[in-house]
Amino acid sequence: MSEDKKSFQQIATSTLVPERRVGVKLYLRTGLDRYVLFINESAVLSSGKIEQLYSNNVKHLYLDTSDRPGYLSYIKGNLSAILDNPELTANDKASIIYDTAKDITENLFSQPSTENIDQTRNLVDCMIDSISQSPETSNLMMMITNQDYYTYTHSINVGIYAVSMTRKILPGISENALKTLGLGFFLHDLGKAQIPGSILNKKGPLNQDEWRKMQEHPTIGAELVRKLGAGTPEIIDIITSHHERYNGTGYPNQLSQKKISLPGRICAFCDVFDALTTKRSYKKALSTFAALKIIKEETPSHFDPELLNPFILLFGGN
Ligand SMILES: [Fe+2]
């Protein structure tokens, strides 16, 4: 039986976990634009069936593009088991984490809820476990970071950069401590979920009232995570301090130098770098080199001079 009228999308066989139900139809590709049903949505995959695919060197299966949301919820629900699979390449790992992150953070920003924060926490935990097992996953994720700016992709990009930078600066940090900071980095802009879209997406410069409202997002974000039960001191600190500047000209508390916490100073670098290297409707994306040059020029006025080199080295092809 062939199904050649649909639009199909490839998925890695290594994302299949034995004894789990994927919940969507999966197909084998038997020729150019020819697909044959492999399992239906109610089937549970046995390890034998998965082994059969590997022994026949079937590295990819296919799904109907319209079933992608169902496949994503399978991935979300089984993320740590999927990322644990030794058959999964570092490349696949990195793109699975990034794609799942997009889905989870988009939901989080459209509806900040305890459940959506829990999903973000699970994602950050899985991401940090994967990075510790295979450090190249971290470099690969830095390469995927999305160039189109959305608040939710910005959160992921900053989360990825800031976790990498923290590991560089504090090589002895425990995984648990890194997971807590990682969640804080992912949530740094959560307060923007409550800033009107007319201000967030305005093409021209903000007027005084709009700018005042925009500057409330660190405080709003801190209140929000507190209300949602995720307000540990480390997370509140990152959310509150990511717009403080080294010379005391930032907001909301005009803290300067080392009065700004280390994670706050790290987040500031990553936040500005991502804003510069992503494109908006009113500006082009700068190259990594051009963005690093601006950040260098703004150090030490805006950024901690001791962190400049470790930050630049993140992009030095290490
Ligand atoms: Fe921000």
Side-chain angles (χ1 to χ4, degrees):
M1 177 181 57
S2 79
E3 305 237 1
D4 30 17
K5 299 251 163 62
K6 298 175 175 178
S7 141
F8 286 92
Q9 191 178 10
Q10 177 180 291
I11 62 149
T13 305
S14 47
T15 61
L16 302 177
V17 179
E19 314 310 330
R20 307 275 167 100
R21 201 172 66 89
V22 181
V24 297
K25 287 190 173 99
L26 294 178
Y27 297 82
L28 288 162
R29 188 175 176 183
T30 56
L32 199 65
D33 290 332
R34 291 189 67 81
Y35 299 87
V36 174
L37 185 65
F38 174 63
I39 50 160
N40 66 35
E41 54 271 55
S42 59
V44 171
L45 271 168
S46 66
S47 52
K49 202 146 189 171
I50 296 175
E51 277 310 313
Q52 219 178 2
L53 291 171
Y54 286 128
S55 58
N56 287 310
N57 208 20
V58 177
K59 298 218 168 79
H60 296 103
L61 291 172
Y62 295 81
L63 50 80
D64 187 330
T65 308
S66 65
D67 279 338
R68 187 167 166 75
Y71 175 69
L72 262 178
S73 56
Y74 156 77
I75 296 270
K76 270 195 289 186
N78 296 281
L79 193 58
S80 80
I82 292 169
L83 295 173
D84 267 350
N85 183 355
E87 299 284 344
L88 202 67
T89 63
N91 246 323
D92 284 338
K93 242 181 223 186
S95 52
I96 285 172
I97 295 171
Y98 202 89
D99 285 349
T100 315
K102 273 202 288 194
D103 185 63
I104 289 175
T105 48
E106 190 177 7
N107 286 340
L108 175 67
F109 276 91
S110 64
Q111 197 190 351
S113 64
T114 308
E115 192 198 339
N116 285 335
I117 289 211
D118 285 344
Q119 291 214 350
T120 311
R121 180 183 291 112
N122 179 44
L123 167 88
V124 172
D125 289 356
C126 290
M127 179 184 103
I128 287 168
D129 288 339
S130 290
I131 292 175
S132 335
Q133 285 153 19
S134 99
E136 61 175 318
T137 307
S138 155
N139 293 342
L140 288 165
M141 279 191 306
M142 295 209 359
M143 285 160 70
I144 318 179
T145 48
N146 206 309
Q147 287 235 308
D148 289 313
Y149 183 96
Y150 298 98
T151 305
Y152 68 93
T153 48
H154 170 71
S155 304
I156 306 168
N157 297 353
V158 169
I160 292 169
Y161 296 141
V163 164
S164 303
M165 189 172 170
T166 305
R167 288 175 76 237
K168 249 203 163 56
I169 294 167
L170 303 172
I173 189 169
S174 75
E175 252 191 53
N176 273 344
L178 189 58
K179 283 174 178 173
T180 305
L181 295 182
L183 183 59
F185 294 135
F186 268 75
L187 298 179
H188 77 281
D189 259 349
L190 186 65
K192 286 191 181 166
Q194 291 186 353
I195 301 290
S198 57
I199 296 179
L200 274 186
N201 305 318
K202 190 172 172 185
K203 288 182 184 166
L206 300 180
N207 67 34
Q208 225 180 5
D209 280 350
E210 291 164 337
W211 183 232
R212 205 174 300 128
K213 184 78 200 158
M214 184 66 139
Q215 288 190 328
E216 287 174 13
H217 80 269
T219 316
I220 293 174
E223 274 164 29
L224 200 51
V225 283
R226 240 185 243 127
K227 213 167 69 191
L228 296 173
T232 66
E234 297 89 339
I235 290 171
I236 288 182
D237 163 65
I238 291 173
I239 295 176
T240 313
S241 63
H242 73 277
H243 284 287
E244 299 292 354
R245 291 295 174 255
Y246 206 65
N247 60 3
T249 57
Y251 59 87
N253 296 314
Q254 289 78 46
L255 298 179
S256 64
Q257 303 198 9
K258 306 292 195 257
K259 287 188 187 126
I260 311 166
S261 69
L262 177 63
R265 280 175 276 139
I266 290 174
C267 198
F269 274 94
C270 303
D271 182 28
V272 171
F273 178 81
D274 188 63
L276 293 171
T277 53
T278 45
K279 61 173 180 282
R280 308 287 291 261
S281 53
Y282 53 86
K283 72 159 188 74
K284 282 202 239 160
L286 290 186
S287 68
T288 298
F289 180 81
L292 291 176
K293 191 165 170 273
I294 291 178
I295 287 177
K296 194 173 175 184
E297 284 161 5
E298 292 183 349
T299 305
S301 56
H302 287 185
F303 306 105
D304 181 351
E306 286 172 37
L307 301 183
L308 180 66
N309 273 339
F311 182 70
I312 289 174
L313 283 173
L314 278 186
F315 305 93
N318 45 350

